[in-house]
């Protein structure tokens, strides 16, 4: 049986019916929560207690039917079936409802990073790869650059928020979509690991590479996340951005994105990831035949 279930019109027509919470068993949720045994990890108990209570209240409030619940189950199943080490559809589904961005904010503030000079974080996104080979500084990560692309030179320094000094041997991953809106694992026309670079900073903490001035692109519509956006009548585009992951011994890793200030959709990002501190300016670059623009972006890491 296919797990791709369309949303029936009669189901959607009942979306605003609301529920009378008092007509459902008031003791059922506590019974489920109390079923956890004494060996349950305390943190897991806290999380599951809250999750069960909220999910049960959600079901009662919406008068959730078996058909509607099964549609949700099928959506989760399809996310898992589409996910692999190159694409995480479940994560993308969390992105379009703002959950990953919310969790990112919570994590950032719990770590106390919002009060110091450390680079602000942003979501990892569903297209990160762990297996990108190490490249030399100054490498051009764009292979067979498209005719409509605008080459750019990106450079900067990684420093410590505590000391202000440069950090050597920082592993910094950078990745972006091509001008057709696709990351390389989505696009058979792109070479493996195209528009991805993994570097290690030298003694001066500097990094550099050639890439593309990023362009906006829509969330993929070939899976549950894109379908949900359409069902919610929301625009699917992400503003032009570049992903960064930087990690160094003795410091907290930073996962972030930087956004071109001239891009559309900065105020309407389909995954809600834009922060003012992460909006950057690409300046015209002179005397370089390989790049028309340049971006100077420094990364500041918080100590453990």
């Amino acid at each position: 049986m296919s797990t791709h279930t369309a949303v029936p019109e009669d189901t959607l027509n009942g979306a605003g019916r609301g529920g009378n919470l008092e007509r459902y068993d008031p003791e059922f949720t506590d019974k489920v929560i109390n079923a956890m045994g004494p060996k349950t990890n305390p943190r897991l108990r806290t999380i599951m207690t809250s999750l069960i209570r909220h999910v049960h209240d959600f079901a009662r409030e919406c008068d959730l039917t078996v058909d509607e619940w099964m549609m949700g189950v099928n959506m989760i199943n399809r996310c898992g079936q589409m996910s692999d080490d190159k694409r995480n559809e479940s994560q993308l589904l969390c992105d379009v409802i703002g959950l990953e961005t919310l969790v990112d904010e919570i994590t950032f503030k719990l770590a106390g990073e919002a009060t110091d000079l450390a680079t602000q974080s942003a979501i990892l996104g569903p297209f990160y790869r762990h297996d990108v080979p190490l490249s030399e500084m100054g490498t051009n990560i764009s292979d067979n650059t498209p005719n409509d692309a605008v080459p750019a030179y990106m450079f900067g320094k990684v420093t410590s928020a505590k000391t202000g000094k440069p950090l050597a041997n920082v592993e910094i991953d950078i990745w972006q979509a091509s001008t057709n809106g696709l990351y390389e694992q989505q696009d058979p026309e792109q070479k493996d690991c195209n528009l991805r670079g993994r570097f290690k900073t030298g003694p001066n903490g500097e990094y550099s590479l050639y890439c593309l001035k990023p362009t906006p692109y829509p969330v993929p519509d070939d899976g549950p996340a894109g379908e949900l956006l359409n069902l919610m009548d929301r625009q699917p585009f992400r503003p032009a951005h570049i992903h960064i992951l930087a990690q160094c011994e003795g410091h907290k890793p930073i996962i972030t994105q930087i956004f071109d200030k001239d891009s559309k959709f900065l105020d309407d990002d389909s995954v809600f990831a834009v922060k003012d501190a992460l909006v950057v300016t690409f300046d015209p670059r002179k005397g370089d035949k390989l790049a028309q623009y340049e971006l100077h972006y420094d990364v500041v890491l918080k100590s453990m």
Side-chain angles (χ1 to χ4, degrees), residues 32-212:
V32 175
I33 292 170
N34 292 335
M36 285 185 282
K39 295 181 181 179
T40 304
N41 175 279
R43 178 60 178 166
L44 178 62
R45 183 185 298 275
T46 297
I47 292 172
M48 290 308 301
T49 296
S50 182
L51 176 63
I52 292 167
R53 203 172 293 284
H54 280 287
V55 168
H56 285 205
D57 285 345
F58 155 75
R60 284 187 283 259
E61 181 181 339
C62 296
D63 288 330
L64 193 69
T65 67
V66 170
D67 286 343
E68 293 166 338
W69 166 75
M70 199 64 217
M71 283 161 36
V73 170
N74 289 336
M75 176 174 283
I76 293 170
N77 289 344
R78 290 177 57 220
C79 285
Q81 291 159 0
M82 289 188 69
S83 298
D84 54 26
D85 60 351
K86 295 182 178 181
R87 171 176 177 172
N88 191 327
E89 185 69 13
S90 301
Q91 190 170 359
L92 185 58
L93 185 65
C94 290
D95 289 348
V96 302
I97 63 171
L99 182 58
E100 187 178 3
T101 293
L102 175 59
V103 171
D104 169 66
E105 180 191 13
I106 292 169
T107 304
F108 185 80
K109 290 183 177 177
L110 285 176
E113 295 178 1
T115 60
D116 61 28
L117 299 176
T119 296
Q120 288 204 24
S121 59
I123 62 175
L124 179 68
F127 296 108
Y128 170 69
R129 288 184 60 172
H130 296 270
D131 56 350
V132 177
L134 198 65
S135 297
E136 294 184 3
M137 289 297 175
T139 295
N140 187 350
I141 65 171
S142 176
D143 189 82
N144 295 329
T145 301
N147 292 331
D148 60 346
V150 178
Y153 180 71
M154 181 175 171
F155 66 101
K157 184 176 291 188
V158 183
T159 60
S160 166
K162 183 177 181 179
T163 67
K165 294 182 179 180
L167 294 173
N169 295 316
V170 177
E171 187 172 293
I172 182 166
D173 281 78
I174 293 173
W175 67 102
Q176 64 178 143
S178 189
T179 55
N180 62 0
L182 300 177
Y183 291 86
E184 50 85 18
Q185 66 264 58
Q186 301 172 273
D187 185 0
E189 299 301 318
Q190 295 185 52
K191 288 189 176 180
D192 188 52
C193 291
N194 185 44
L195 293 172
R196 298 177 184 273
R198 184 168 66 92
F199 308 90
K200 281 199 173 182
T201 61
N204 58 3
E206 292 183 350
Y207 75 92
S208 63
L209 65 146
Y210 287 92
C211 58
L212 303 183

Side-chain angles (χ1 to χ4, degrees), residues 108 113-114 118-122 254-257 275-278 297:
F108 185 80
E113 295 178 1
T119 296
Q120 288 204 24
S121 59
I254 184 69
I255 299 168
T256 195
Q257 300 179 27
K275 300 177 182 178
D276 290 343
L278 300 177
Y297 188 75

